[in-house]
Amino acid sequence: MLKCEGFNFAGSIKLKAAHAMVSAAERSGQLRPGSTLVESSSGNLGVALSLVAASRGYRFICVTDSRCTLGARQLMEVFGSEVHVITKPDPVDGLLGARIKYVRDLCADNEGFLWLNQYANPNNWQAHYQLTGPEILKAFPDLGTLFVGAGTTGTLMGCARYLREQKPSVRIVAVDAVGSVTFGGPPEPRHIPGLGTGVRPALFDESVVDDVVMVAEPDTIRACRRLARHGFLFGGSTGTVVSGAAAFLAEHPLADGESAVAIAPDLGDRYLDTVYQDAWVTDLYGPDVLQDTVRAEAR
């Protein structure tokens, strides 16, 4: 089963974290009328924070990089946010490291600027401990395996901690992108925003994860396009999670009476100029990725 998180006004699961982080900052007094929110985001959290900031009267600056889709940037700007695009990677920590350094410098130089810091903010994972985990277990009391993509690891940590307490028999499988450093792998270039990171998230606690599946970006493309052929238009993060879940379940079948659930973070309309654009795919991954999808459909 897929838990589709794209059906809200922000279009992704990130609305939960955005709402939780902003609300907590207001309660603590860090965020006051006239404050400016600043955050580093590859796209979806930036859109979610743009919506929340617009609805509550705050200025918002999103610091992203060249991998952010045009659709996500346009949505942020429609909500009235500023988008700063980083193009030069940090020599050690890549584009994410360069984004975070830019955010820190921006907040240090401007009074009234607040960095919510999704990578270390406990309200990120607590939003999913309070909402996403309970939603899944209520809908699927027979849950046997949960697949969660790993980005900031907020969704992963919140769901895993909730299920560890409420139903510890559930197997928690993290799905990450090849080239991400979260689980100790070597950094490699990645072109699809969402999952994976060049800097290990401060939120991450590997002890609550049972297994991890690493998915190469060509497999993400294949999964997205196969889903689309059946009428399901999902984003790159969902393609990664679905590809990883299918591979894992092929080797680890569910026990009788158990359900497997994968979290689909967003829909695919923001990826029409990347994942679903033939020229973009061919330029980055070669023509075989497109041909593999056609052959799979033929079979």
Side-chain angles (χ1 to χ4, degrees):
M1 300 293 178
L2 279 180
K3 183 176 186 348
C4 300
E5 288 282 350
F7 299 112
N8 60 52
F9 282 108
S12 82
I13 196 170
K14 292 293 189 176
L15 183 60
K16 294 175 177 176
H19 178 269
M21 291 190 295
V22 170
S23 296
E26 289 177 332
R27 290 193 299 269
S28 69
Q30 290 178 292
L31 191 56
R32 298 181 295 275
S35 295
T36 296
L37 292 167
V38 184
E39 187 55 271
S40 159
S41 169
S42 61
N44 281 336
L45 182 70
V47 173
L49 281 172
S50 295
L51 185 153
V52 174
S55 69
R56 299 193 184 187
Y58 299 115
R59 180 187 176 206
F60 172 54
I61 299 173
C62 180
V63 179
T64 187
D65 60 54
S66 51
R67 295 171 297 186
C68 181
T69 66
L70 176 61
R73 294 201 301 269
Q74 289 175 328
L75 277 170
M76 287 186 264
E77 290 168 350
V78 165
F79 285 124
S81 301
E82 295 178 34
V83 182
H84 297 195
V85 181
I86 304 300
T87 57
K88 184 177 180 181
D90 179 88
V92 176
D93 295 327
L95 284 167
L96 177 57
R99 277 165 33 193
I100 291 173
K101 181 180 184 303
Y102 185 93
V103 168
R104 286 189 173 130
D105 291 345
L106 196 62
C107 291
D109 295 340
N110 293 276
E111 186 177 353
F113 279 37
L114 175 65
W115 177 29
L116 293 170
N117 193 1
Q118 63 164 325
Y119 312 103
N121 192 321
N123 296 288
N124 184 347
W125 71 262
Q126 287 170 10
H128 303 288
Y129 179 91
Q130 295 165 1
L131 296 173
T132 313
E135 289 165 1
I136 292 170
L137 192 57
K138 181 180 179 180
F140 297 96
D142 60 350
L143 182 66
T145 304
L146 178 65
F147 298 93
V148 191
T152 65
T153 69
T155 307
L156 176 62
M157 292 297 99
C159 291
R161 286 174 176 145
Y162 177 80
L163 290 168
R164 282 284 172 268
E165 294 177 7
Q166 302 298 320
K167 192 176 182 182
S169 62
V170 174
R171 176 179 280 180
I172 307 296
V173 181
V175 183
D176 201 6
V178 170
S180 169
V181 305
T182 301
F183 290 90
E188 295 178 18
R190 291 174 292 108
H191 304 284
I192 300 174
L195 301 186
T197 182
V199 179
R200 187 181 172 98
L203 294 177
F204 181 54
D205 176 7
E206 197 166 355
S207 69
V208 297
V209 176
D210 295 306
D211 294 282
V212 59
V213 180
M214 304 300 293
V215 176
E217 287 192 336
D219 290 326
T220 294
I221 302 289
R222 294 182 184 102
C224 284
R225 285 171 169 254
R226 287 171 187 165
L227 286 165
R229 295 295 190 274
H230 293 278
F232 299 99
L233 190 69
F234 285 111
S237 298
T238 299
T240 302
V241 172
V242 168
S243 178
F248 185 88
L249 290 172
E251 296 184 6
H252 305 86
L254 289 169
D256 289 343
E258 285 188 342
S259 293
V261 174
I263 297 177
D266 63 358
L267 301 180
D269 50 332
R270 295 174 196 170
Y271 300 82
L272 295 177
D273 59 339
T274 55
V275 170
Y276 297 103
Q277 219 283 338
D278 288 359
W280 186 88
V281 172
T282 301
D283 287 347
L284 289 174
Y285 308 104
D288 288 348
V289 176
L290 300 180
Q291 293 168 4
D292 289 346
T293 303
V294 173
R295 284 195 289 266
E297 287 302 311
R299 290 198 296 270

